[in-house]
Amino acid sequence: MDINYELYKVFYHVATSLSFSEASKQLYISQSAVSQSIKTLEKKLEQPLFIRSTKKVQLTPAGQVLLKHIEPAMNLIARGENQLLESNTLGLGQLHIAASDTICRYFLVPYLKEFHKKFPSVPIKVTNATSLGCVDLLEQGKVDIAVTNCPNVRLNQSYIRKMVLDFTDVFIANSSYFNLKQQELSFRDLTKYPLLMLDNKSTTSEFMHNLFLSHQLELIPEIELSSNDLLIDLARIGLGIACIPDYCLKHESKDLFILKTLEPLPRRQLAVSVNPNLPILTSTEEFLNLLPTL
């Protein structure tokens, strides 16, 4: 099917902004030109791509399918353009990483520092998202590398380049509020206390809920947040028992301790992944080489 690339370009901007007027601003063309391009594309594809309304538009099921394929292609073209335009970076291009704020703070910072010291002219961009969201960004070609928790239901094995950290989830509490330091608690015992967890959009929450279900237990957190640092803060003031990765708590402090559990907590890993369908930039390879391998 012979369809002009410009039609797909207009479709992409409308589909990502869900607005004809916003797409016209991004493309520097009139709104009527945007509308006509979409009509032409729909006619060529013989099906509607958008449901029109007065202010915003919505994608039809066909439009959603098309966007799933067009978005990675647009991002791939943008990657190629950026690599060619950034001649001042000695051909390395930029480095764009997706990772959660926890992984950035407690794992990535020293490696980003080392990379920046070695290649000071290479732009570094970090996008924060959940581990599940990071895989989506990688699949869409919006980032070069994703550093995520593993196991991860969204992460295909073909994406994983290397495992870089082995860790265990731990339960922490303030001894002033929970006199449990010398005790060994079963998972069933833990469910009787107020538990502080990451929200259900995280791989950690999914992992822990499945773990408790495997012991015929329902995990019902007292508080769910999007930040491990906040979980630590709330555990410190005695609001409950927090579940965090062990690398977030380098050592027990005077007010926080790690609870002993009767059942072992399975080990997990941090996985560094690339999109096998996209070319690997030199900057990506250089950064991968700085990271440890389990």
Side-chain angles (χ1 to χ4, degrees), residues 196-200 202 223-228 230-231 234:
L196 315 177
M197 302 273 301
L198 289 178
D199 61 40
N200 58 14
S202 70
I223 295 175
E224 291 181 300
L225 298 170
S226 59
S227 165
N228 280 301
L230 281 176
L231 292 177
L234 296 188

Side-chain angles (χ1 to χ4, degrees), residues 33-100:
V34 170
S35 179
Q36 187 58 47
S37 294
I38 295 300
K39 287 179 181 178
T40 301
L41 182 60
E42 289 176 325
K43 184 177 180 180
K44 285 181 174 291
L45 294 174
E46 299 181 347
Q47 51 192 311
L49 301 173
F50 295 99
I51 301 171
R52 276 77 164 173
S53 63
T54 53
K55 292 185 179 180
K56 289 282 185 178
V57 298
Q58 290 182 324
L59 285 163
T60 64
Q64 293 172 0
V65 171
L66 185 61
L67 179 61
K68 185 178 179 181
H69 294 278
I70 293 298
E71 189 166 33
M74 295 296 296
N75 290 324
L76 182 58
I77 291 170
R79 282 162 59 92
E81 289 175 343
N82 289 336
Q83 190 173 5
L84 291 175
L85 292 173
E86 290 167 350
S87 57
N88 63 327
T89 63
L90 303 179
L92 290 173
Q94 72 167 6
L95 178 66
H96 193 172
I97 300 172
S100 69

